[in-house]
Amino acid sequence: MSFSNESLPIIAGIVTNTARSMTVVMKYIYTVSDEDFYNINIKDIFRIALMDVTDTSKLDNLGIKTATPENSALFDTAEFGRVEHLIMYSLAVRLPYIAKQIENCPLSNKQLKLTFEQLKNSGADNFGDIIYESFKDNMKRSKSKAPVPAYSSDWFRRYVYTYMPKFGEINNRNLYFLGCVEAMFPLYYSALVAQLKKVLFLLEK
């Protein structure tokens, strides 16, 4: 069995849309951390978003308005605009780990590299070298017997404190936001691995 290079853009697209979905969910988290803090269970947002990590349209059914003047001042900025590209990069460099976590993954090392390059060409970017991982290093480590390191929001916290200090201020809302984002990262990663596994074997020839 083999996997066609022609299908690699599909894999890259899933990663790209997952990054986009994560930034959308961040806006929902920040919105509900305000006046609806006690009325909306964050688990509902995660449950709906994780059904398909590439599509956030079903979140509209919650009736939460994320397009507020306050949110716009925080999210419609160049600094937050980079977050999606950083998430893309943070997932792209972990492609070797993802392949390791999928039993009998049909992707070759060369195809993993090609997918990584496609994601970089689509906007994946390590702005300010805020993410310490690299594709090359992760490829080497993935070949060892060491367990796959957890996907965490550590780099996002570094980015926030460096480039988005408004989110870094110590108050209940920011602590809630950052705490939920911390939980979101590994949840999304696990769902992404599961979705890629399903798609890979559907596309395998």
Side-chain angles (χ1 to χ4, degrees):
M1 303 293 283
S2 62
F3 193 87
S4 171
N5 285 354
E6 294 178 358
S7 297
L8 294 180
I10 296 175
I11 304 306
I14 290 173
V15 175
T16 299
N17 290 331
T18 297
R20 184 174 299 114
S21 175
M22 289 173 72
T23 59
V24 170
V25 170
M26 285 182 186
K27 295 178 182 179
Y28 274 86
I29 292 171
Y30 192 77
T31 301
V32 302
S33 68
D34 191 15
E35 67 270 8
D36 292 321
F37 186 97
Y38 297 104
N39 299 323
I40 298 175
N41 193 330
I42 193 65
K43 290 181 180 179
D44 291 335
I45 294 176
F46 284 156
R47 177 178 54 80
I48 294 171
L50 294 171
M51 287 179 183
D52 181 351
V53 293
T54 65
D55 181 17
T56 58
S57 62
K58 291 184 177 61
L59 287 171
D60 294 340
N61 296 330
L62 290 173
I64 301 171
K65 296 181 180 179
T66 60
T68 65
E70 182 180 7
N71 281 8
S72 294
L74 292 169
F75 294 114
D76 295 345
T77 62
E79 289 76 18
F80 186 76
R82 296 190 193 107
V83 171
E84 182 178 325
H85 302 287
L86 283 161
I87 293 175
M88 283 175 62
Y89 183 87
S90 71
L91 294 171
V93 297
R94 291 181 65 89
L95 284 171
Y97 289 147
I98 291 174
K100 183 176 182 178
Q101 290 174 279
I102 297 174
E103 188 176 359
N104 299 318
C105 180
L107 293 174
S108 67
N109 290 343
K110 185 176 181 180
Q111 287 176 319
L112 291 173
K113 177 68 172 176
L114 286 171
T115 306
F116 173 69
E117 293 297 336
Q118 287 179 11
L119 284 163
K120 284 181 64 179
N121 291 336
S122 297
D125 182 48
N126 190 11
F127 179 82
D129 293 327
I130 208 79
I131 298 167
Y132 297 155
E133 292 180 89
S134 72
F135 179 87
K136 183 178 180 180
D137 288 344
N138 286 349
M139 179 64 82
K140 290 179 181 178
R141 291 172 186 149
S142 69
K143 299 180 186 302
S144 71
K145 295 181 179 180
V148 173
Y151 179 63
S152 76
S153 64
D154 289 351
W155 68 261
F156 179 72
R157 284 182 176 269
R158 286 194 297 273
Y159 182 78
V160 163
Y161 296 140
T162 305
Y163 298 103
M164 303 172 67
K166 181 69 176 176
F167 287 104
E169 294 175 1
I170 298 177
N171 56 55
N172 287 346
R173 189 172 192 184
N174 284 344
L175 291 174
Y176 177 85
F177 172 73
L178 292 174
C180 289
V181 169
E182 183 176 356
M184 179 186 75
F185 269 61
L187 287 172
Y188 254 86
Y189 181 78
S190 295
L192 171 64
V193 172
Q195 189 155 337
L196 284 174
K197 179 179 180 180
K198 187 183 300 182
V199 171
L200 281 169
F201 290 109
L202 283 174
L203 294 174
E204 191 178 15
K205 298 192 299 183

